[in-house]
């Protein structure tokens, strides 16, 4: 079983007849999915998504793949294939198109419509190439075939890439719901046909590889939603992902059945459902919808709000309702339905929202106390099924954290894939497919690129560390005035502190120590401003650490006269 090595160096030149695969995101993490394929000097990109920040990344809005690997070769890109329209697969497209706006975007009808709607906000008019399952298209040296797959958003696709190096099947995100809401089954027959022909490398979704069995059908949620509507006495507020068309459809059907009106809240929800409705993916009964501004004109028992915020995002509608910072005021008897999965790392934020809503008298129904969500990703039984159908010569798990990748690799080994033909890579690891073997040959830079407001890449890991220190420990600034010639103290020290938890009067104890340290430094001939700052930082830092066991950011300000 091949796996990354910390000492991997730059990859060698690509041998003739070899296919190179480099994941710039999506391996060892949930999100930021982006894979770059190279053959014959040309590139093909599959997906280009974002990762959402963790609590220890304050101020960061989005995390992008690092485009440095392809930045000097943007003209070599034949196309970007988008398997489906979730943010972790399309969210970084606007930032890639800023660098080359005419890259062809390939995807299904709904996927392209949703990305075009997003790109409108960035003032980018994309070059689109719409495909449907069963079609084959050539993009430079890459012969691509598209397969229907079932997922938690309509119109998702898997793609196979044929080159002289062999056949690669990339599943995208998928599951094998046998009774899907839209009747669109994962094309297992197509996978089997490809397997009979010979799959040289399978790259398969690993998100649920640790979950045994098969994922529950989406249809099994409908009775639970119906029960919620039947028992609700006042307003119903449903929070889910802004792209989950099937889930929204079930809520609309239940609202229509129980005689309630529905309003969408949140920019992304309104935008995405508008697109899905216009294209016919979302069926809206006549007279059902209201504008969000009209909600207050209707009795609470007659309305349903569908909004974003199921992950506890601070600025989303649901979080603001929980904090009483939203025009919609949660009241006694309201029912809140969190109809989505819990993204790892968001547990604390979601629990805070649930507690906030409950405080105001709402009944909160979530995955923990009712079956109001099923996953969009194949469980281990389904993954085994695909491995047995395709019988790949080589296997590379994708789309998952380390534990998911390794669990999926174990499944592949159980189905007979030789362990030395299983490649567990991480972001930036270079894999070459040559002469029927997939091998790790090197690594390239594939770090995080942070989006902070309108700044892209301006925030560094050092800046994030400073933000964490400021958030956790606060800061102390010390202003001193010194003689520019002798370095002797002529004014101050003057201390200011914010968020450190230390009373300003307490600093009277350290000022004599600081004056003594500066006098000694002046006697030693220290007149350099940088050195004096170090003396101040070291003296105050030691005192704070010894006295309070804290490590605030210490900012010395030296004024020369």
């Amino acid at each position: 079983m091949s796996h990354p090595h910390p000492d991997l160096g730059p990859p060698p030149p690509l041998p003739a007849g070899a296919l190179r695969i480099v994941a710039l995101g999506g391996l060892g993490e949930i999100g930021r999915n982006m894979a770059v394929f190279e053959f014959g000097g040309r590139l093909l990109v599959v997906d280009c998504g974002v990762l959402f920040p963790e609590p220890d990344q304050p101020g960061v809005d989005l995390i992008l793949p690092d485009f440095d690997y392809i930045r000097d070769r943007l003209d070599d890109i034949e196309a970007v294939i988008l398997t489906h329209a979730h943010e972790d697969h399309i969210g970084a497209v606007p930032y890639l198109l800023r660098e080359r706006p005419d890259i062809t975007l390939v995807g299904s009808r709904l996927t392209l419509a949703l990305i075009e709607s997003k790109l409108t906000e960035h003032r980018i008019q994309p070059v689109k190439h719409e495909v449907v399952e069963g079609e084959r298209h050539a993009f430079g040296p890459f012969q691509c075939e598209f397969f229907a797959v079932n997922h938690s958003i309509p119109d998702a696709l898997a793609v196979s890439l044929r080159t002289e190096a062999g056949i690669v099947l990339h599943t995208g995100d998928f599951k094998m719901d046998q009774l899907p809401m839209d009747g669109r089954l994962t094309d297992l027959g197509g996978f089997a046909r490809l397997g009979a022909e010979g799959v040289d490398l399978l790259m398969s979704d690993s998100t649920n590889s640790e979950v045994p069995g098969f994922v529950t059908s989406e249809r099994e949620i409908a009775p639970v939603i119906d029960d919620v509507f039947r028992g609700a006495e006042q307003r119903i507020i449903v929070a889910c992902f802004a792209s989950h068309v099937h889930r929204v459809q079930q809520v609309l059907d239940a609202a229509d059945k129980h005689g309630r009106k529905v309003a969408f809240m949140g920019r992304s929800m309104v935008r995405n459902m508008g697109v899905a409705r216009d294209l016919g993916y979302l069926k809206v009964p006549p007279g059902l919808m209201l504008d969000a501004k009209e909600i207050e004109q209707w009795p609470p028992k007659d309305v349903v709000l569908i909004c974003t915020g199921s992950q506890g995002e601070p600025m989303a509608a649901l979080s603001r309702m929980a904090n009483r910072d939203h025009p919609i005021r949660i009241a006694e008897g309201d029912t809140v339905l969190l109809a989505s999965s819990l993204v790892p790392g968001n547990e604390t934020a979601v629990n805070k929202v649930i507690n906030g809503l409950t405080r105001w008298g709402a009944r909160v129904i979530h995955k923990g106390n009712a079956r109001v969500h099923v996953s969009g990703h194949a469980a281990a039984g389904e993954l085994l099924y695909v491995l047995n159908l395709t019988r790949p010569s080589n296997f590379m798990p994708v789309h998952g954290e380390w534990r998911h990748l390794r669990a999926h690799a174990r499944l592949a080994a159980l189905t007979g894939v030789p362990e030395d033909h299983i490649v567990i890579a991480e972001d930036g690891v270079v894999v070459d497919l040559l002469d029927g073997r997939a091998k790790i040959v090197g690594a390239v830079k594939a770090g995080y690129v942070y989006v902070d407001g309108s700044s892209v890449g301006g925030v560094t890991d050092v800046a994030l560390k400073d933000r964490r220190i400021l958030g956790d420990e606060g800061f102390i600034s010390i202003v001193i005035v010194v003689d520019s010639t002798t370095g002797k103290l002529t004014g101050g020290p003057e201390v200011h502190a914010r968020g450190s938890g230390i009373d300003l009067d307490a600093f009277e104890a350290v000022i004599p120590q600081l004056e003594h340290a500066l006098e000694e430094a002046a006697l030693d001939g220290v007149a350099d401003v940088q050195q004096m700052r170090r003396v101040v930082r070291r003296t105050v830092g030691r005192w704070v650490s010894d006295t309070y066991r804290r490590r605030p950011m210490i900012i010395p300000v030296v004024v020369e006269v």
Side-chain angles (χ1 to χ4, degrees):
M1 190 179 293
S2 300
H3 56 85
H5 190 278
D7 299 325
L8 283 173
L14 184 61
L19 174 70
R20 177 159 288 175
I21 304 117
V22 182
L24 297 182
L27 301 186
E29 60 194 359
I30 302 290
R32 215 170 58 118
N33 297 290
M34 184 176 183
V36 179
F37 296 84
E38 179 179 357
F39 186 85
R42 305 299 293 172
L43 305 177
L44 185 74
V45 178
V46 174
D47 291 327
C48 186
V50 296
L51 182 67
F52 293 101
E54 299 285 346
D56 65 347
Q57 294 163 327
V60 174
D61 298 316
L62 298 170
I63 303 171
L64 309 178
D66 189 341
F67 299 143
D68 274 357
Y69 173 64
I70 57 174
R71 186 161 277 119
D72 294 335
R73 302 188 58 190
L74 293 173
D75 290 338
D76 294 337
I77 299 175
E78 296 286 349
V80 176
I81 294 174
L82 303 172
T83 59
H84 63 283
H86 280 151
E87 284 296 302
D88 59 335
H89 292 258
I90 67 168
V93 169
Y95 301 93
L96 180 61
L97 294 190
R98 285 183 188 180
E99 308 206 17
R100 185 190 149 198
D102 65 340
I103 298 176
T104 300
L105 303 181
V106 180
S108 65
R109 187 181 180 209
L110 180 62
T111 300
L112 292 180
L114 290 175
I115 187 64
E116 184 173 26
S117 176
K118 173 186 286 290
L119 288 169
T120 300
E121 298 180 4
H122 292 261
R123 296 182 176 85
I124 297 173
Q125 184 60 44
V127 178
K128 301 181 296 180
H129 184 121
E130 186 178 317
V131 296
V132 299
E133 55 264 28
E135 290 185 348
R136 298 189 184 197
H137 296 273
F139 301 99
F142 304 94
Q143 303 291 323
C144 297
E145 182 178 1
F146 298 90
F147 301 86
V149 291
N150 181 247
H151 188 39
S152 54
I153 187 171
D155 249 9
L157 295 169
V159 59
S160 68
L161 286 65
R162 296 169 186 262
T163 64
E164 294 172 20
I167 298 175
V168 176
L169 174 59
H170 191 302
T171 67
D173 287 357
F174 80 101
K175 61 177 177 176
M176 287 164 49
D177 192 337
Q178 297 304 295
L179 295 169
M181 295 288 296
D182 56 3
R184 188 171 175 271
L185 294 161
T186 293
D187 187 2
L188 300 178
F191 287 0
R193 172 178 52 77
L194 211 61
E197 190 175 345
V199 173
D200 295 281
L201 176 63
L202 174 64
M203 301 171 67
S204 182
D205 176 11
S206 306
T207 312
N208 270 350
S209 58
E210 292 185 309
V211 179
F214 284 61
V215 169
T216 305
S217 173
E218 181 78 23
R219 288 182 185 271
E220 294 197 19
I221 293 177
V224 182
I225 293 177
D226 190 64
D227 286 344
V228 170
F229 273 69
R230 188 179 299 109
E233 299 173 357
Q234 298 293 324
R235 198 165 34 192
I236 298 174
I237 299 166
V238 180
C240 68
F241 292 120
S243 57
H244 206 328
V245 178
H246 298 320
R247 193 65 46 79
V248 171
Q249 183 69 66
Q250 290 178 312
V251 174
L252 296 185
D253 293 343
D256 188 48
K257 176 181 175 181
H258 291 273
R260 289 178 178 256
K261 299 291 185 181
V262 178
F264 292 132
M265 300 196 72
R267 185 179 61 173
S268 57
M269 181 68 74
V270 171
R271 180 188 67 198
N272 289 355
M273 292 308 137
V275 170
R277 181 180 187 175
D278 292 344
L279 296 181
Y281 292 93
L282 187 68
K283 311 293 184 186
V284 181
L288 182 70
M289 300 304 301
L290 294 176
D291 187 280
K293 297 175 183 176
E294 302 176 89
I295 283 293
E296 296 296 342
Q297 301 170 17
W298 287 78
K301 64 183 178 59
D302 293 337
V303 298
V304 179
L305 301 178
I306 303 179
C307 66
T308 54
S310 61
Q311 300 304 306
E313 304 96 314
M315 297 308 294
L318 196 65
S319 296
R320 291 169 58 205
M321 290 178 201
N323 294 329
R324 283 282 205 240
D325 183 28
H326 194 277
I328 300 297
R329 310 288 280 184
I330 296 294
E332 190 78 34
D334 284 349
T335 299
V336 179
L337 176 61
L338 301 181
S340 66
S341 62
L342 186 58
V343 174
N346 291 346
E347 295 87 352
T348 301
V350 172
N351 287 333
K352 183 178 179 182
V353 169
I354 291 173
N355 279 317
L357 296 167
T358 306
R359 177 186 179 192
W360 305 118
R363 174 189 176 212
V364 183
I365 298 166
H366 52 87
K367 187 181 178 183
N369 58 25
R371 179 170 280 179
V372 291
H373 175 74
V374 296
S375 178
H377 300 270
E382 296 157 87
L383 299 176
L384 286 168
Y385 206 103
V386 170
L387 282 159
N388 285 325
L389 276 178
T390 55
R391 301 191 299 279
S393 302
N394 299 273
F395 176 69
M396 180 175 168
V398 295
H399 299 180
E401 297 174 346
W402 269 103
R403 59 197 181 102
H404 306 128
L405 302 181
R406 291 206 176 274
H408 204 173
R410 285 193 292 273
L411 295 177
L414 289 173
T415 64
V417 180
E419 292 218 357
D420 60 348
H421 287 234
I422 298 173
V423 176
I424 302 179
E426 61 184 328
D427 295 342
V429 168
V430 181
V431 178
D432 283 358
L433 178 63
L434 178 64
D435 297 330
R437 285 292 302 276
K439 294 181 180 179
I440 290 173
V441 297
V444 299
K445 180 170 168 277
Y448 284 178
V449 174
Y450 300 107
V451 177
D452 183 355
S454 60
S455 165
V456 179
V459 177
T460 63
D461 288 329
V462 172
L464 282 181
K465 181 181 178 183
D466 287 347
R467 289 181 181 183
R468 285 193 291 270
I469 293 171
L470 285 168
D472 293 340
E473 304 282 358
F475 79 92
I476 299 168
S477 67
I478 304 98
V479 182
I480 61 172
V481 182
V482 298
D483 187 295
S484 60
T485 305
T486 64
K488 289 186 176 180
L489 188 68
T490 61
E494 186 178 318
V495 180
H496 304 270
R498 291 290 184 276
S500 66
I502 304 173
D503 191 274
L504 279 179
D505 292 340
F507 288 100
E508 295 296 329
V510 76
I511 286 176
Q513 298 177 33
L514 187 54
E515 291 172 339
H516 178 69
L518 288 168
E519 285 173 10
E520 284 197 336
L523 290 173
D524 290 339
V526 172
D528 177 69
V529 170
Q530 284 296 106
Q531 288 181 291
M532 281 189 277
R533 285 176 181 152
R534 280 196 287 271
V535 170
V536 173
R537 187 179 289 114
R538 185 170 58 247
T539 304
V540 176
R542 186 186 303 118
W543 176 79
V544 172
S545 177
D546 291 346
T547 309
Y548 293 96
R549 296 291 186 265
R550 297 182 65 88
R551 297 178 64 86
M553 181 174 288
I554 297 171
I555 306 171
V557 180
V558 179
V559 180
E560 292 185 294
V561 294

